[in-house]
Amino acid sequence: MPRIAYVNGRYVAHREASIHIEDRGYQFADGVYEVVPVFEGRLVDEEPHFDRLQYSLGELRIAPPCSRAALRFICCELLRRNDLRRGILYMQVTRGVAARDHKFPAAAKSALVVTTKNYGGPTAKLIEEGARVVTIPDIRWARCDIKSISLLPNVLGKQEAIERGAFEAWLIDREGNVTEGTSTNAWIVTADKRVVTRQLGNAILAGVTRASLRKLMTAEGYELEERPFSLAEAKNAAEAFLTSSTSLVLPITQIDDSRIADGKPGPMTRKLREAMLSYVNK
Ligand code: PLP
């Protein structure tokens, strides 16, 4: 069965799917995106992902390409056509096609692309042993709350992580605090078992997994602190982990050359991963 993509009103063979060379996403990275996890053939946290897409579009003054109901239909139809059970759904909206000129075009129609991919999540080995992260300066722009397709610093950061033998790079701001990963939110657990993650604001993306985990934690009675934490605090933490739609909750056992605690995934992290797994599979 050929893999199908949705491109501007049509379902087409993925390998033949294309957009115009003057699409502003291609020319200026003038667009936004969402990645939604798929479990049991179902979109997880569909509404918060649609809400964040609407927020990103609004902040950039890009018109929604269609109604939310139409978008929901397209996503479900694509899952059906690709018979996707477990993986991710990718949505991208750009300001559309127009002759290349920096200012907003007078009459461009927002462009919508939706694709799906089979993906089983991080390997069992990575989950069992925990991931390594390296740290790099956060050189991104001042609106990281917008899920923009302009991802060059994130791309360079992830590449550096891979070249240094790590899974992810954590980004460090000018004050020496961790903002987030290149495509993940960053968390630590203190010696007295309080879970800490950076507060929302322009410096980080409001992760949907972050929000869901926060709710699960409240329900389970865990203590959460939303505040900046320094790289030194992270290296001395009892546990560390990251969250994202693709990795859910993934333990971190090394930051740069520092092992976290005994170098094994921590008990709180394991519990939170289990809680997240039950949530996405329910
Ligand atoms: N932070 C950044 C910079 C990201 O790109 C992502 C996901 O792509 C996240 C955090 C995690 O967000 P979510 O949990 O919605 O996948």
Side-chain angles (χ1 to χ4, degrees):
M1 191 182 73
R3 189 171 163 208
I4 304 295
Y6 175 90
V7 184
N8 291 326
R10 295 172 56 221
Y11 296 92
V12 293
H14 189 277
R15 82 185 113 78
E16 280 152 29
S18 59
I19 52 118
H20 196 281
I21 55 166
E22 286 198 302
D23 185 285
R24 288 179 64 95
Y26 180 67
Q27 295 284 356
F28 297 114
D30 188 1
V32 301
Y33 74 107
E34 279 297 322
V35 174
V36 190
V38 177
F39 279 79
E40 308 283 338
R42 192 178 57 78
L43 294 171
V44 174
D45 282 335
E46 173 184 316
E47 287 308 319
H49 280 285
F50 286 176
D51 287 346
R52 189 171 63 186
L53 181 67
Q54 193 178 326
Y55 172 78
S56 299
L57 288 170
E59 291 303 289
L60 299 182
R61 291 192 281 151
I62 297 175
C66 57
S67 69
R68 192 178 279 218
L71 188 57
R72 188 176 296 120
F73 176 84
I74 292 163
C75 293
C76 293
E77 181 61 13
L78 200 64
L79 292 184
R80 192 189 67 74
R81 288 190 187 218
N82 286 325
D83 194 21
L84 189 77
R85 305 302 305 161
R86 167 76 177 98
I88 56 172
L89 176 129
Y90 178 84
M91 292 182 259
Q92 176 170 312
V93 182
T94 70
R95 206 179 299 274
V97 175
R100 190 179 184 283
D101 186 357
H102 287 61
K103 68 177 185 292
F104 293 177
K109 194 178 164 333
S110 307
L112 172 64
V113 169
V114 188
T115 57
T116 65
K117 189 166 87 175
N118 281 306
Y119 178 63
T123 61
K125 186 170 186 289
L126 195 61
I127 295 162
E128 201 45 47
E129 293 177 1
R132 220 190 119 198
V133 299
V134 292
T135 59
I136 56 173
D138 193 342
I139 58 166
R140 300 173 303 162
W141 72 327
R143 289 304 306 275
C144 298
D145 55 315
I146 299 171
K147 200 163 167 64
S148 151
I149 57 171
S150 175
L151 288 169
L152 210 39
N154 310 59
V155 167
L156 295 175
K158 187 76 92 184
Q159 183 60 23
E160 180 168 341
I162 302 304
E163 287 174 7
R164 289 167 63 187
F167 176 78
E168 173 65 300
W170 273 9
L171 309 172
I172 310 299
D173 70 13
R174 290 205 188 133
E175 284 71 48
N177 293 318
V178 177
T179 51
E180 59 183 335
T182 65
S183 61
T184 56
N185 287 116
W187 306 67
I188 56 170
V189 182
T190 63
D192 52 355
K193 300 206 178 318
R194 286 202 308 272
V195 183
V196 183
T197 194
R198 177 94 173 200
Q199 75 280 12
L200 295 183
N202 293 352
I204 67 165
L205 183 76
V208 171
T209 321
R210 179 190 182 285
S212 295
L213 188 65
R214 196 174 176 280
K215 273 193 214 145
L216 292 173
M217 285 179 57
T218 310
E220 304 266 335
Y222 289 110
E223 289 226 32
L224 175 66
E225 281 179 18
E226 292 177 282
R227 61 164 171 86
F229 61 90
S230 69
L231 176 56
E233 186 179 3
K235 286 183 176 175
N236 289 308
E239 302 181 28
F241 63 93
L242 57 80
T243 57
S244 75
S245 296
T246 45
S247 294
L248 302 180
V249 174
L250 185 68
I252 290 171
T253 45
Q254 190 174 329
I255 303 175
D256 294 328
D257 291 329
S258 305
R259 250 180 24 178
I260 304 305
D262 63 357
K264 300 203 179 84
M268 289 276 277
T269 306
R270 284 178 189 275
K271 271 190 210 148
L272 293 173
R273 181 171 171 84
E274 285 308 311
M276 184 53 74
L277 277 175
S278 330
Y279 173 73
V280 296
N281 280 306
K282 81 172 183 283

